Amino acid sequence: MNLKKLNPFQVYRGLPRPVYVLFAATVINGMGIFVYPFLTLFLTRKLGYSVARAGAFMLCASILYVPGNFIGGKLADRIGRRAVLLVSQTLASIAFLFCGFLGDSPLVPGLIMVNLFFDGAADPARSAMMTDVTTAENRQSGFALNYLGHNLGYAIGPLVGGFLFYRATGLLFVGNAVMGFLSILFVVLF
């Protein structure tokens, strides 16, 4: 029996270094997204929103991701993927950093909306960068690895978020911002 056929990670070997850098940045960024599953709890328990109002807010805030995505994609084509990724991810992280220090302030929902807009703007640049650093032969493996990075990050993040929500809610936002900054730093350095 051929052991290479049994190794599911074999498909990810031999990819260009920037693919692994984007994978690591995606895992880091995904781990930092632990605040999102807890936003409705934050709005209802910390800010006193009704369930209906929190749901309506989350719908409106999530919709902001779409124009951010379109604008980010257009800017990535015009001024460059890396610049759009770095600026958008930085602005999204700054918005959550402020949330972490504002506590139960009524300004927090507005900053959540700012974060979602800029998070949406960062995604097309990240995907375009993946296309730029792969070839037709390894593109499928590169995107599969990136998708795996999202899933790994999203699997770990909510565990951390659940712990922080009940012990130090402000750290939910600060932690998300720190992970966003680490993701940016990783892309800049490598």
Side-chain angles (χ1 to χ4, degrees):
M1 182 178 293
N2 186 352
L3 290 179
K4 280 188 171 182
K5 290 185 179 179
L6 293 177
N7 184 353
F9 299 104
Q10 181 68 27
V11 70
Y12 305 126
R13 288 195 179 158
L15 293 169
R17 182 175 181 216
V19 171
Y20 298 118
V21 170
L22 287 171
F23 165 76
T26 300
V27 172
I28 293 167
N29 194 46
M31 286 172 49
I33 297 181
F34 48 72
V35 73
Y36 291 115
F38 298 95
L39 282 178
T40 53
L41 286 174
F42 176 79
L43 293 170
T44 55
R45 293 192 179 173
K46 303 290 183 182
L47 296 183
Y49 281 34
S50 68
V51 172
R53 184 176 176 204
F57 171 81
M58 289 305 298
L59 173 66
C60 293
S62 298
I63 289 172
L64 282 176
Y65 185 90
V66 176
N69 211 263
F70 285 127
I71 292 168
K74 193 74 165 164
L75 288 173
D77 290 339
R78 286 216 168 143
I79 64 173
R81 289 109 159 85
R82 185 177 166 152
V84 172
L85 175 63
L86 297 178
V87 170
S88 297
Q89 188 73 51
T90 299
L91 292 173
S93 296
I94 288 171
F96 268 172
L97 188 62
F98 284 136
C99 288
F101 294 109
L102 288 174
D104 299 344
S105 168
L107 296 175
V108 171
L111 289 169
I112 291 169
M113 295 171 86
V114 168
N115 171 274
L116 282 164
F117 176 83
F118 285 112
D119 188 48
D123 281 346
R126 189 177 296 114
S127 293
M129 285 177 73
M130 183 62 74
T131 302
D132 292 343
V133 300
T134 56
T135 64
E137 294 79 31
N138 64 15
R139 188 159 292 134
Q140 185 174 359
S141 296
F143 272 94
L145 183 63
N146 198 45
Y147 188 72
L148 178 64
H150 278 289
N151 288 337
L152 286 173
Y154 295 158
I156 297 167
L159 296 173
V160 175
F163 177 78
L164 289 176
F165 181 77
Y166 289 104
R167 288 175 179 73
T169 306
L171 287 181
L172 271 174
F173 295 105
V174 172
N176 187 299
V178 166
M179 296 306 271
F181 290 133
L182 282 175
S183 170
I184 295 162
L185 186 63
F186 207 78
V187 171
V188 168
L189 292 178
F190 303 107

